[in-house]
Amino acid sequence: YGATLSFTPSSGTYEVGSVFSVGIYTNSSDEALNAVSGIVSFPEDLLEVTSISKNQSVVSLWVQEPSFSNNAGTVNFEGIVLNPGFKGASGKIVTLNFRVKAQGTAPLSFSSGSLLANDGEGTEILSAKGTALFTLVPQTAFDIGDSNQEVTQNPVLLAPVVSSLEYPLHSWSN
């Protein structure tokens, strides 16, 4: 069997203070699956989970509601896909929303995972667990315009030029 757990996206560059989302997906093209579980590990000094979304999940019933611990750097999930199970590519399990705490390189991995077949025997069909690697960079300064443009602190005001039809370009001075 060749069912997998993976992260999408599996890479990217994000600024400190920004929030980004990572989906956890299963691919089970050979055999229908009816149970999923896993523990995701992330560097708690670089990232924090702000929320977990179950929207559009292939999981029908949660044995353990998706949860996270920012202190431990873990996300846990465990659920069931009702009969006939899930068979196909890119079956979304959950979406993790992270906030970047500090710059560095942040790997995500499955410290454990399981995909069970919908075969009446609960056969383990997980063959591979994906990883992800994110580059976290300092927050960039706010761009106020063209950096090549010269900024004048104290502008010099020039006297107006006064002329008339009777006295063109006449200088008016005392």
Side-chain angles (χ1 to χ4, degrees):
Y1 300 112
T4 62
L5 286 171
S6 63
F7 298 104
T8 299
S10 61
S11 65
T13 301
Y14 302 98
E15 290 183 355
V16 171
S18 68
V19 175
F20 67 99
S21 298
V22 178
I24 297 176
Y25 287 85
T26 182
N27 181 345
S28 180
S29 55
D30 298 333
E31 178 84 23
L33 65 87
N34 74 342
V36 300
S37 67
I39 300 174
V40 174
S41 296
F42 63 91
E44 70 278 359
D45 57 330
L46 301 178
L47 297 173
E48 71 178 0
V49 176
T50 59
S51 64
I52 300 174
S53 171
K54 301 181 292 186
N55 289 346
Q56 301 175 337
S57 177
V58 297
V59 175
S60 314
L61 177 66
W62 292 98
V63 176
Q64 175 185 336
E65 282 290 320
S67 61
F68 59 91
S69 168
N70 283 322
N71 289 335
T74 58
V75 174
N76 298 283
F77 59 90
E78 185 173 356
I80 296 171
V81 182
L82 298 178
N83 207 22
F86 174 77
K87 184 176 180 180
S90 298
K92 185 191 290 186
I93 298 171
V94 292
T95 301
L96 310 177
N97 298 303
F98 288 102
R99 185 180 72 78
V100 180
K101 293 169 60 175
Q103 72 182 54
T105 302
L108 298 185
S109 63
F110 292 99
S111 54
S112 73
S114 179
L115 297 173
L116 303 181
N118 189 31
D119 61 0
E121 297 177 18
T123 304
E124 179 64 61
I125 58 174
L126 179 64
S127 63
K129 296 180 287 189
T131 60
L133 188 62
F134 300 102
T135 303
L136 311 176
V137 297
Q139 189 173 20
T140 56
F142 179 73
D143 184 11
I144 59 170
D146 183 1
S147 61
N148 294 328
Q149 193 174 28
E150 187 176 318
V151 177
T152 304
Q153 293 293 335
N154 297 313
V156 177
L157 299 176
L158 300 175
V161 175
V162 179
S163 66
S164 72
L165 292 175
E166 287 185 36
Y167 303 100
L169 299 174
H170 186 325
S171 174
W172 300 91
S173 59
N174 290 340

